[in-house]
Amino acid sequence: MAEQTRRLVLGGATTGVVTRCRDFTRQALTDWLWPRDPEAMEDVLLLVSEVVTNACLHGGGPRELVLRHSALGLRVEVSDDSPEPPRRRPPGDRTRPGGHGLIVLERLARSWGAEPSGGAFPGKTVWLEVPPPAPPGPPDSGPPLPEPDGR
């Protein structure tokens, strides 16, 4: 399978951008017949929400969302104008909102990272990779039937 790419140019917008990116991602995955498992779809949408929200809060707003689909899985890339790489918040009061996005990435993504952006604007691209969902297994037919001789 050849890689398929979808690109959404955002230009640093912050209002309504998380919903827009989630909708864009949902449509791409549906078109690619990727979401065989609804939980896998929700995990990807949560990951997109996290990296886009981080771009809004810490990067001046996302510039672009790129989705790359191949037989190896899905790669999500979010570019913003800040050259500062993502950093975990120091441990502290867990009751405070926020500061958990990178933990979510570490738990749900196969891998993730950040690299400096090339091109006309300084900044970075935060990326994550998700394996393809497992193909659906055979329907559960219950316990095996006994052998005709009673075994």
Side-chain angles (χ1 to χ4, degrees):
M1 158 198 261
E3 181 179 276
Q4 299 177 51
T5 303
R6 298 272 175 101
R7 186 176 310 270
L8 178 62
V9 176
L10 300 158
T14 57
T15 304
V17 73
V18 174
T19 300
R20 188 170 167 208
C21 289
R22 285 176 59 94
D23 291 346
F24 178 83
T25 301
R26 181 182 287 111
Q27 186 60 56
L29 294 177
T30 300
D31 291 348
W32 292 332
L33 303 175
W34 196 87
R36 296 179 205 119
D37 174 3
E39 286 183 27
M41 166 82 86
E42 288 304 316
D43 286 350
V44 170
L45 296 177
L46 176 59
L47 289 166
V48 167
S49 296
E50 290 297 335
V51 293
V52 171
T53 297
N54 282 348
C56 290
L57 294 174
H58 308 292
R63 287 257 156 230
E64 184 175 58
L65 167 66
V66 179
L67 306 173
R68 300 179 192 281
H69 172 252
S70 72
L72 299 175
L74 179 72
R75 181 176 169 106
V76 176
E77 302 171 359
V78 176
S79 300
D80 64 44
D81 289 337
S82 172
E84 293 298 315
R87 283 189 288 250
R88 269 186 166 204
R89 182 187 290 177
D93 184 358
R94 292 184 175 215
T95 61
R96 284 183 46 208
H100 307 290
L102 296 182
I103 295 169
V104 171
L105 262 78
E106 290 168 359
R107 296 233 170 116
L108 295 180
R110 173 174 47 203
S111 60
W112 73 275
E115 52 198 39
S117 294
F121 64 92
K124 68 179 169 305
T125 299
V126 177
W127 58 267
L128 63 95
E129 295 176 341
V130 180
D140 185 15
S141 57
L145 297 174
E147 294 291 324
D149 65 357
R151 287 190 266 156

